[in-house]
Amino acid sequence: MTDPLIAACADIERHVGASGWDSPARLFALVPTVDLLAAEPSLAASIDGADELPEGHLTAVEQDEFHAGGDLVADLERIAWPDGVAGCALSVERVFVPPAAESQIPDDPDAAAAFVNSHPDRHDVRVVVGVLRSGATQGIARLKSRPDELLGGTDLVPGLARALSRTLEGS
């Protein structure tokens, strides 16, 4: 049986990936599918195998009103979820350079962006990080240079997982 959070993150990555690269950050609520179908039975027709879903199955509901600005963590600090949301996930694309090049990155943000974007060893990566109220975390990443491979782990992007977890607190 596949872990529901891993499955949800993989589904989100496929969904976002269908739009190609250079996408903005996208935020998703993770809702227990059984609860969603109880509230909206008409959605069963749009969910493959709705009558045979594994226990704990999660449905990702994109938050179209979310628009990340320059500071993603600050943007997430303004998010709060209702009790019916079991977790949340974020898809974000970033560019990184090898550790040996990091000391050469200029301090000026515009110069740093130009440096990273023009570096011959840069890598484009799409990351989906998901968290649940239970404390479970999962990250999935795809390198643009290796489109057929997914990387994953529970601690793939710990800072982003912490920021997402804070959106679930106190709601």
Side-chain angles (χ1 to χ4, degrees):
M1 179 173 136
T2 301
D3 178 274
L5 184 55
I6 294 171
C9 288
D11 286 346
I12 291 168
E13 198 287 326
R14 279 189 295 276
H15 170 73
V16 171
S19 299
W21 287 86
D22 302 320
S23 294
R26 294 166 72 174
L27 183 65
F28 299 82
L30 299 178
V31 181
T33 306
V34 67
D35 295 347
L36 181 65
L37 293 176
E40 296 288 337
S42 63
L43 292 176
S46 64
I47 298 175
D48 290 336
D51 55 343
E52 300 174 9
L53 294 172
E55 184 176 335
H57 188 273
L58 297 166
T59 297
V61 180
E62 187 163 4
Q63 305 302 294
D64 293 326
E65 71 280 356
F66 178 76
H67 301 288
D71 186 342
L72 186 57
V73 173
D75 294 332
L76 290 173
E77 288 174 354
R78 294 189 293 271
I79 303 294
W81 301 101
D83 290 338
V85 172
C88 59
L90 182 81
S91 169
V92 64
E93 294 179 11
R94 291 293 184 252
V95 177
F96 68 95
V97 294
E102 289 179 5
S103 64
Q104 302 167 10
I105 297 174
D107 291 332
D108 176 72
D110 292 333
F115 174 85
V116 171
N117 285 326
S118 65
H119 196 280
D121 295 325
R122 73 176 250 177
H123 291 281
D124 293 8
V125 64
R126 177 185 308 116
V127 178
V128 175
V129 175
V131 299
L132 297 178
R133 289 187 191 274
S134 67
T137 64
Q138 182 63 43
I140 291 182
R142 184 180 306 275
L143 293 171
K144 189 174 186 179
S145 62
R146 296 185 178 184
D148 296 331
E149 298 177 24
L150 278 179
L151 308 169
T154 58
D155 204 23
L156 195 63
V157 188
L160 186 52
R162 282 189 300 276
L164 284 169
S165 291
R166 285 191 296 271
T167 69
L168 298 165
E169 295 172 359
S171 52

